[in-house]
Amino acid sequence: DRSLTTNTRSETRRSTRSTTAEATRLNKAVEQEFSQIQPLYDLMDDDFDRWSLKPYAIDEDNDGVIAPEDAYTTNNPRVLAGKIIAFLESTKELIRIPYTTEKEDQENANSNAERLAIGFRDAWASTVRTGRIFLRGLLLKNERGDTVPDMLPFDPRHTVVRFGAEEPEWVAVRKIQSRREIRTRFTGFKFSDDREELGDDFNEHSSAFDIYFRRRNPDFDKDDKESMPFTYWNGVLVNSKWARTPEELFTTRFPIAVVATDSTMPLSPTETEDQPFLQEGSSIFAENRGIWDTKNRLGSYANHLAHLAADPPKVFSSIEGETELEDGTGEAGSVVNLATAND
């Protein structure tokens, strides 16, 4: 039927336009969220440097007095985090998954999920990271057709969320990859300014957003207890285009659990504080950041003075010597030639 074919094509074009507009809207919202809370990620990076024992860097005010080998780095952050993580991993939890069916296979699947959730705690992220922790929780079918729990934590450093009234509207996980990797991962995807044939953009990088989001359920019936107002989807965005077309997840709740790393309530901006998110869910390092930085500085000065005491600068005077001190004359073991004659 020609009219039926025409109508089908028209619906397909409308669906494509809708999906394209949705991709643009979501991509813009995700990028704005990442940009807005960049100070939070800077704080995470600083905390990660403390946890990984990145060597303390003598700042520019040092003016070359303290040599890099004299820099002191305390291991207090790593020791403290290790103790807290060990404590969290040794605690016992009770988790129950609500369900309405009494089918034995579903009950067994939920029991497996409960056991896995009890065994899983993102102790590292809730200790070292600032802000929130993210956990995907789904029940999936394996190759044998069995229902199995799937739980995957996401790194808060590369994850953002937009909250709705009762649950998230979307959660996006960023993965920065080269254009070559993105083309390999998503067959057929092309960038708007694709220069693949020239081979000159392989080292350029773009962000791929693995996004979980919800759509209004057109068949929702508020009088039907089994009917849900939203359907939940997952796709991958690259440069405001779908690199992987969204697929429905067939879950009755938003698939990502989002919780703060501590008990601080969500804060709102004020006249004097426009970045309250920096105070939400502080890492275990929050109260000691300034103390450890001071300890590193004082320890570096102590190392420098001990080095000078063990091998002090040596001063020699002669008629042909220099009349002014040069750079490096305050270092351990240095030789300083001073002139005794006037010019």
Side-chain angles (χ1 to χ4, degrees):
D1 189 289
R2 184 173 181 178
S3 63
L4 178 61
T5 302
T6 302
N7 289 338
T8 301
R9 290 176 178 174
S10 177
E11 291 176 1
T12 301
R13 285 196 295 269
R14 286 198 298 269
S15 176
T16 302
R17 285 197 297 269
S18 176
T19 303
T20 301
E22 182 181 50
T24 302
R25 175 180 60 83
L26 287 173
N27 198 99
K28 181 178 180 181
V30 170
E31 290 182 340
Q32 286 178 340
E33 192 69 23
F34 270 110
S35 176
Q36 180 178 351
I37 63 175
Q38 182 59 46
L40 176 63
Y41 297 137
D42 295 338
L43 191 59
M44 287 187 188
D45 292 341
D46 291 341
D47 281 346
F48 184 82
D49 289 344
R50 294 183 177 93
W51 175 82
S52 62
L53 302 183
K54 180 180 179 179
Y56 177 67
I58 305 298
D59 56 38
E60 296 178 356
D61 294 337
N62 168 62
D63 197 25
V65 175
I66 300 179
E69 59 267 23
D70 288 336
Y72 170 84
T73 303
T74 179
N75 67 348
N76 289 164
R78 188 62 173 256
V79 173
L80 176 62
K83 290 182 178 179
I84 298 299
I85 292 171
F87 171 77
L88 291 176
E89 291 180 343
S90 64
T91 58
K92 294 183 179 180
E93 294 185 23
L94 180 63
I95 297 177
R96 289 289 179 262
I97 297 178
Y99 57 92
T100 58
T101 179
E102 294 182 356
K103 294 182 179 180
E104 182 178 356
D105 59 341
Q106 185 64 51
E107 184 177 352
N108 291 336
N110 288 337
S111 297
N112 290 334
E114 290 167 1
R115 283 192 288 269
L116 178 60
I118 291 173
F120 170 82
R121 281 175 295 273
D122 199 351
W124 184 88
S126 61
T127 301
V128 177
R129 292 302 197 196
T130 293
R132 303 181 178 97
I133 56 176
F134 300 83
L135 171 65
R136 185 185 72 189
L138 293 171
L139 293 176
L140 304 177
K141 292 283 188 180
N142 62 15
E143 295 180 356
R144 296 181 179 179
D146 300 327
T147 302
V148 296
D150 171 71
M151 293 193 174
L152 178 68
F154 296 130
D155 185 359
R157 175 62 177 82
H158 298 284
T159 309
V160 290
V161 57
R162 172 73 57 82
F163 284 107
E166 297 181 354
E167 63 180 5
E169 294 181 3
W170 51 257
V171 169
V173 184
R174 176 176 59 188
K175 188 172 184 179
I176 300 175
Q177 296 179 300
S178 69
R179 290 195 171 196
R180 181 201 295 266
E181 291 172 324
I182 290 175
R183 293 192 189 97
T184 302
R185 181 182 174 192
F186 305 107
T187 304
F189 178 81
K190 286 187 175 296
F191 293 90
S192 300
D193 60 340
D194 208 306
R195 305 189 303 279
E196 180 179 10
E197 65 279 0
L198 301 178
D200 63 348
D201 71 337
F202 287 161
N203 293 325
E204 293 184 20
H205 288 74
S206 293
S207 295
F209 299 123
D210 190 1
I211 186 168
Y212 297 79
F213 63 101
R214 66 184 188 182
R215 289 171 172 166
R216 286 284 180 182
N217 183 3
D219 300 322
F220 172 62
D221 182 359
K222 65 179 181 179
D223 296 325
D224 183 0
K225 293 183 178 180
E226 299 297 326
S227 182
M228 298 297 170
F230 298 101
T231 56
Y232 302 98
W233 300 75
N234 172 234
V236 176
L237 288 167
V238 178
N239 286 16
S240 298
K241 298 195 300 183
W242 290 114
R244 191 183 74 221
T245 304
E247 298 178 350
E248 189 171 356
L249 298 175
F250 300 102
T251 179
T252 59
R253 299 182 181 184
F254 196 84
I256 311 294
V258 184
V259 296
T261 57
D262 67 7
S263 57
T264 303
M265 65 176 292
L267 304 174
S268 299
T270 66
E271 294 81 357
T272 58
E273 178 54 72
D274 60 351
Q275 296 177 338
F277 51 81
L278 294 177
Q279 309 302 324
E280 298 177 15
S282 297
S283 76
I284 199 67
F285 302 149
E287 290 78 11
N288 293 312
R289 292 183 185 119
I291 295 175
W292 289 330
D293 289 345
T294 300
K295 186 174 182 179
N296 285 337
R297 178 179 291 276
L298 293 177
S300 299
Y301 283 135
N303 284 344
H304 173 64
L305 293 175
H307 200 174
L308 286 177
D311 191 8
K314 302 168 180 62
V315 178
F316 296 89
S317 59
S318 64
I319 296 177
E320 294 83 9
E322 299 294 333
T323 59
E324 296 181 356
L325 294 178
E326 298 178 347
D327 292 339
T329 55
E331 298 178 359
S334 61
V335 176
V336 184
N337 294 312
L338 292 180
T340 58
N342 295 326
D343 292 336

